[in-house]
Amino acid sequence: MLEIKDLKVSIEDKEILKGINLSVKAGEVHAIMGPNGSGKSTLASALAGRDYFNITNGKILYEGKDLTELSPEDRAREGIFLGFQYPVEIPGVSMVNFLRTAINSMRKYREQDPLPAGEFLKLMREKKKIVEIDSDLTNRSVNEGFSGGEKKKNEIFQMALLEPKLAILDETDSGLDIDALRIVSNGVNKLRSPENATIIITHYQRLLDYIVPDVVHVLYKGRIVKSGDKSLARELEEHGYDWIKQEVDAND
Amino acid sequence: MQTTDKYLELFQQNREQIGKEDPLFLKELRDAAIKAFQRDGFPGRKEERYKYTHLEPAFDGKLSFDFQPRQIHFDDSEIFSCDVPLLDSNVLTVLNGFFHQNGEGILTKLDNGIIYGGLKEAIAQFPDLVEKYLGKNAPTDDEPFVALNTAFSQDGIFLYVPEGIRMERPIQIINLLLSDKNQMVQHRNLLVLERNAAAQVIICDHTLSPHMFLTNSVTEVYTGENADMDLLRLQNEHNNSCQVTNTWISQDRNSRCQHGTITLHGGIVRNNLRINMEGEGAETSALGLFLTDKMQHVDNYTVIEHSKPHCTSNQYYKGVLDDISTGAFNGKIHVHPDAQKTEAFQTNNNILLSDTAKMQTKPRLEIYADDVKCSHGATVGQIDEEALFYLQSRGIPKEESRLMLMDAFTWDVISKIKQLSLQVRITDLVSKRLRGELSRCNNCAMHCEH
């Protein structure tokens, strides 16, 4: 589904990603872990199409298409979803208007008619259950005044509504208490299927107790320095990142 | 010859014609006004108050000025339906500054004592009532454009709501500019609410022919004790127009007032707003929203005078500027030594849509009392890139995302308008304006291009 080949990304003159190789197949869950500043969020942003940095080398192929040539909205319409580390508050744009516009732009792209109002509301009700989201949140402005946990639940709620093929969850677990973590993970697990894939970017192993990954990668200094199965995550939790840092730094 | 002299000469040469039916008090008022104007003249480039809007060149143009209403064949009910069709209102039309009779009489006096209609007629029929208020609140020695208007204005709208009467139907004043030559218009509105009275007034400014129009209007408002006044101005003139509005509001004890200025379109627009809080416990809110593009210029200049204790004022002004348009906001909150327990807030937020648009914003707080709550904040920025990306990342195209954010930005002001039908209508007009569609009323048959 996703093939990243020798991806190099710079912000101004600073190289952040120094040659990423990653292959994600349908049905898989990949976890990308790593210490702060290793380039995890930059990788997520590059996949979703933020443009404040330059891709200087490499390719991102998604279902055989060159992703870098697509606008952020077209990536979304092709089935890519980014769960934001810091969901943006947008005062004055109501959740309902936002979600309806999003769903209908996706439908338009697929040459479908807009969803009738009744069906849209039914769909909202249905998906709200997945993340146990409070009804009155959808009556408010996008993320405005939401607590940290509510913002993250809202990300998964949007993911449930938009039904992406490839979801990239950027530190979805950060700032969540244990109940919210459980709800968010349940949501993600319910949405797992053999047709779609998930990339979970996280700092902590904790989330991976709930969402069991097929592959765990460690990103450090802009490179994937280690990949393994779920036991790698546990190892990191026990020993921290220092042993990996030492290994890598010794080879540099 | 200097522009000021031109106007002095125009006044002297036509002194006989100007207000020849004036009662004595008005004659004196005009003479005092022209004297003040002679002394002050048009504000120069160095005048701080007019630093960002130099108006003299607009007044210097070759403009005709009517001392009597001109007969223009014009059936407004056929070609012009109002901007707020959902609103059940008393519509009063002013054509080139003169009351234009359409259906209703020149002056309507209801059984409950409400009077509304043409100001000139009101001066003739109720000179004592008018004398009590006219020119009392908008002093000529303070503001040259008020002085000029006081000297020249012939007509406009008069509204009187007696004690204890709450007007159910809003008054809608439609100012139409329609001429076959470049035209100057100076009209005047006088709105009086006695104790415990309430009224809602909407003023709409429109240009119906492509000529250059220069308007200098004064609206004087008296809000009596515990009275409620809602006054909203919707400016929608073409790019070849210059508009100076002077709105002078006085508020008595415990009165409430909401004033709004929505500038959808216009060439050069300068709005002077002065609110004098003259009684304890008065509340006021001043809303402003402007949208500019091309070479348009909008300058909102507000002064809130907190003269008495326990008064509250809130100002929310926002602007969206595109192309090479320019804007200015200058908001003064003046808390007098007696005005303890004042609460005065002011925000001015602006979005620049291009690299070439310019906005000047200047909050000014002068506080001479020590037990007050005052705050102000001003921002000039671009569309929030983070929010834009967030919307795009959910599959919403960039242009649509931008428009959603601008709708949201403007909604912040529009949502504060009390009357729901007006809120809906203005949301629609603003949204059309932001999308580059005609902002004129859907029902209007004119379909003029701006």
Side-chain angles (χ1 to χ4, degrees):
Chain A
M1 180 179 275
L2 181 73
E3 282 288 330
I4 303 177
K5 289 177 190 160
D6 199 24
L7 181 69
K8 293 183 182 171
V9 166
S10 302
I11 299 178
E12 285 163 6
D13 285 339
K14 196 169 186 289
E15 193 165 68
I16 308 291
L17 300 180
K18 300 173 180 170
I20 300 273
N21 290 293
L22 182 68
S23 172
V24 180
K25 294 190 185 65
E28 290 181 344
V29 173
H30 287 238
I32 296 176
M33 304 182 70
N36 286 331
S38 57
K40 299 191 299 291
S41 285
T42 303
L43 178 60
S45 299
L47 292 173
R50 276 234 73 164
D51 58 358
Y52 62 81
F53 43 65
N54 297 317
I55 294 178
T56 54
N57 187 57
K59 274 204 169 98
I60 309 174
L61 294 174
Y62 167 75
E63 296 191 317
K65 277 175 278 223
D66 184 356
L67 209 55
T68 55
E69 286 177 0
L70 296 181
S71 63
E73 56 268 33
D74 283 347
R75 294 180 197 209
R77 292 150 139 191
E78 288 288 344
I80 291 179
F81 178 89
L82 173 65
F84 282 63
Q85 181 179 5
Y86 303 109
V88 186
E89 297 197 12
I90 313 180
V93 175
S94 75
M95 279 293 296
V96 175
N97 183 24
F98 163 59
L99 295 171
R100 193 171 38 216
T101 310
I103 283 178
N104 286 334
S105 342
M106 299 254 187
R107 290 177 67 90
K108 193 175 170 191
Y109 191 72
R110 298 193 294 257
E111 296 177 349
Q112 292 170 313
D113 289 334
L115 203 61
E119 279 181 47
F120 170 71
L121 291 173
K122 202 177 127 203
L123 186 68
M124 289 242 295
R125 269 199 301 276
E126 202 179 289
K127 303 293 186 186
K128 267 186 211 167
K129 284 183 202 144
I130 293 179
V131 283
E132 301 172 33
I133 205 164
D134 213 335
S135 260
D136 77 74
L137 281 190
T138 50
N139 293 329
R140 288 169 32 193
S141 291
V142 177
N143 293 319
E144 194 188 25
F146 287 26
S147 70
E150 285 168 340
K151 281 182 183 165
K152 296 297 173 77
K153 278 202 239 173
N154 191 22
E155 293 295 289
I156 305 303
F157 172 53
Q158 291 170 43
M159 175 174 139
L161 275 170
L162 300 175
E163 298 178 328
K165 288 186 216 157
L166 174 65
I168 303 143
L169 304 177
D170 188 6
E171 307 248 359
T172 300
D173 53 333
S174 63
L176 290 188
D177 64 29
I178 201 76
D179 288 331
L181 185 67
R182 182 185 50 76
I183 292 168
V184 164
S185 327
N186 278 348
V188 174
N189 285 330
K190 278 183 201 161
L191 298 168
R192 273 176 89 160
S193 85
E195 286 81 43
N196 59 31
T198 312
I199 297 174
I200 292 171
I201 292 172
T202 181
H203 197 70
Y204 308 104
Q205 182 265 343
R206 186 173 79 135
L207 177 68
L208 305 179
D209 286 341
Y210 295 91
I211 308 171
V212 181
D214 299 299
V215 191
V216 175
H217 308 276
V218 179
L219 189 63
Y220 178 55
K221 287 193 171 170
R223 286 195 188 93
I224 290 178
V225 294
K226 214 170 189 61
S227 298
D229 61 12
K230 60 184 176 184
S231 64
L232 177 58
R234 206 164 292 278
E235 217 171 318
L236 289 169
E237 185 73 6
E238 272 169 41
H239 306 292
Y241 289 107
D242 283 352
W243 61 281
I244 288 186
K245 287 185 191 173
Q246 277 161 16
E247 256 182 52
V248 175
D249 295 342
N251 291 338
D252 269 356
Chain B
M1 187 166 36
Q2 290 220 321
T3 318
T4 302
D5 294 335
K6 269 195 193 174
Y7 281 81
L8 294 173
E9 200 181 287
L10 184 70
F11 183 83
Q12 299 309 344
Q13 281 175 357
N14 297 281
R15 186 66 190 96
E16 284 301 301
Q17 275 212 69
I18 297 173
K20 57 183 169 197
E21 291 142 31
D22 280 352
L24 182 63
F25 85 88
L26 194 49
K27 279 202 173 74
E28 288 173 358
L29 206 59
R30 285 192 203 281
D31 288 336
I34 202 72
K35 234 178 238 165
F37 183 71
Q38 184 170 15
R39 187 194 64 211
D40 299 336
F42 283 104
R45 281 198 178 277
K46 285 185 183 151
E47 174 101 37
E48 188 64 28
R49 284 189 292 176
Y50 285 90
K51 197 173 165 186
Y52 301 113
T53 307
H54 191 51
L55 289 160
E56 194 172 333
F59 281 81
D60 199 30
K62 201 168 177 300
L63 301 159
S64 73
F65 181 69
D66 297 342
F67 295 97
Q68 296 295 328
R70 241 184 317 147
Q71 293 309 312
I72 295 176
H73 177 71
F74 170 65
D75 185 352
D76 49 20
S77 64
E78 261 179 37
I79 65 161
F80 191 84
S81 40
C82 78
D83 244 344
V84 192
L86 296 175
L87 201 69
D88 175 27
S89 62
N90 296 302
V91 177
L92 304 174
T93 310
V94 177
L95 179 60
N96 299 335
F98 291 92
F99 183 83
H100 179 77
Q101 199 171 354
N102 78 18
E104 308 235 20
I106 303 178
L107 199 66
T108 304
K109 190 168 189 294
L110 303 178
D111 291 342
N112 58 14
I114 291 176
I115 305 168
Y116 60 85
L119 177 64
K120 195 173 183 174
E121 186 63 22
I123 293 168
Q125 286 191 32
F126 305 100
D128 295 345
L129 183 62
V130 175
E131 181 180 359
K132 218 172 131 189
Y133 299 101
L134 191 73
K136 297 289 188 295
N137 195 13
T140 51
D141 55 4
D142 210 25
E143 173 56 65
F145 292 101
V146 170
L148 194 65
N149 176 285
T150 307
F152 280 98
S153 62
Q154 311 279 304
D155 204 355
I157 296 297
F158 177 67
L159 168 70
Y160 178 79
V161 187
E163 182 172 339
I165 302 293
R166 306 185 77 81
M167 236 182 144
E168 295 298 327
R169 284 181 94 192
I171 293 276
Q172 188 173 11
I173 302 171
I174 302 184
N175 289 317
L176 298 178
L177 298 170
L178 173 64
S179 182
D180 51 5
K181 51 196 161 197
N182 295 343
Q183 181 93 24
M184 176 176 67
V185 167
Q186 309 229 16
H187 60 274
R188 190 154 185 132
N189 301 315
L190 177 60
L191 314 172
V192 180
L193 270 66
E194 295 283 19
R195 200 164 162 254
N196 296 329
Q200 194 196 353
V201 178
I202 301 134
I203 304 177
C204 305
D205 301 310
H206 290 281
T207 40
L208 296 185
S209 61
H211 302 86
M212 150 100 198
F213 288 100
L214 170 65
T215 311
N216 176 37
S217 67
V218 171
T219 301
E220 262 184 285
V221 183
Y222 292 84
T223 317
E225 186 179 334
N226 199 37
D228 283 288
M229 179 76 203
D230 266 7
L231 177 60
L232 186 91
R233 182 165 213 133
L234 192 58
Q235 298 176 308
N236 194 5
E237 298 191 349
H238 60 49
N239 285 337
N240 200 16
S241 69
C242 173
Q243 185 180 21
V244 184
T245 71
N246 304 278
T247 307
W248 256 241
I249 298 174
S250 83
Q251 284 191 253
D252 209 337
R253 202 183 163 91
N254 298 327
S255 63
R256 289 159 299 276
C257 177
Q258 182 177 73
H259 180 271
T261 313
I262 312 286
T263 313
L264 289 173
H265 216 282
I268 300 168
V269 179
R270 162 74 178 217
N271 296 311
N272 292 319
L273 173 67
R274 167 96 56 108
I275 300 177
N276 294 325
M277 312 195 72
E278 292 169 347
E280 285 187 26
E283 276 175 38
T284 202
S285 77
L287 310 176
L289 176 64
F290 71 85
L291 312 161
T292 55
D293 60 5
K294 301 194 180 80
M295 283 180 67
Q296 297 175 343
H297 175 79
V298 175
D299 180 351
N300 282 299
Y301 191 97
T302 69
V303 179
I304 314 277
E305 295 282 353
H306 278 270
S307 313
K308 287 281 168 5
H310 295 286
C311 292
T312 307
S313 69
N314 282 294
Q315 295 180 72
Y316 304 96
Y317 275 80
K318 285 198 169 195
V320 180
L321 301 92
D322 202 354
D323 300 332
I324 51 168
S325 65
T326 47
F329 173 78
N330 191 317
K332 181 175 167 183
I333 298 171
H334 183 186
V335 182
H336 294 248
D338 284 349
Q340 299 296 359
K341 304 284 182 192
T342 287
E343 293 190 21
F345 308 102
Q346 180 190 86
T347 45
N348 174 231
N349 305 124
N350 305 281
I351 288 187
L352 304 179
L353 299 177
S354 70
D355 293 339
T356 41
K358 260 191 210 160
M359 179 70 199
Q360 308 281 350
T361 172
K362 191 175 175 190
R364 289 183 303 146
L365 271 63
E366 283 181 31
I367 301 169
Y368 300 100
D370 51 16
D371 186 9
V372 302
K373 264 192 227 169
C374 292
S375 73
H376 66 90
T379 59
V380 180
Q382 278 93 36
I383 287 270
D384 181 352
E385 289 291 327
E386 296 286 325
L388 192 64
F389 178 68
Y390 192 76
L391 296 176
Q392 283 180 270
S393 78
R394 300 304 183 241
I396 304 171
K398 190 171 189 178
E399 193 46 35
E400 198 171 344
S401 302
R402 265 163 60 95
L403 289 167
M404 278 176 87
L405 293 175
M406 284 195 280
D407 285 340
F409 180 78
T410 54
W411 172 244
D412 194 34
V413 172
I414 299 170
S415 62
K416 293 184 171 69
I417 295 170
K418 284 186 204 157
Q419 174 99 15
L420 194 67
S421 59
L422 266 180
Q423 241 188 41
V424 171
R425 184 61 188 152
I426 286 167
T427 305
D428 183 47
L429 288 168
V430 165
S431 149
K432 283 207 170 76
R433 171 75 169 104
L434 289 171
R435 280 154 184 79
E437 296 163 24
L438 277 187
S439 52
R440 188 170 287 286
C441 170
N442 298 339
N443 299 351
C444 176
M446 295 283 294
H447 300 301
C448 347
E449 293 294 331
H450 290 288

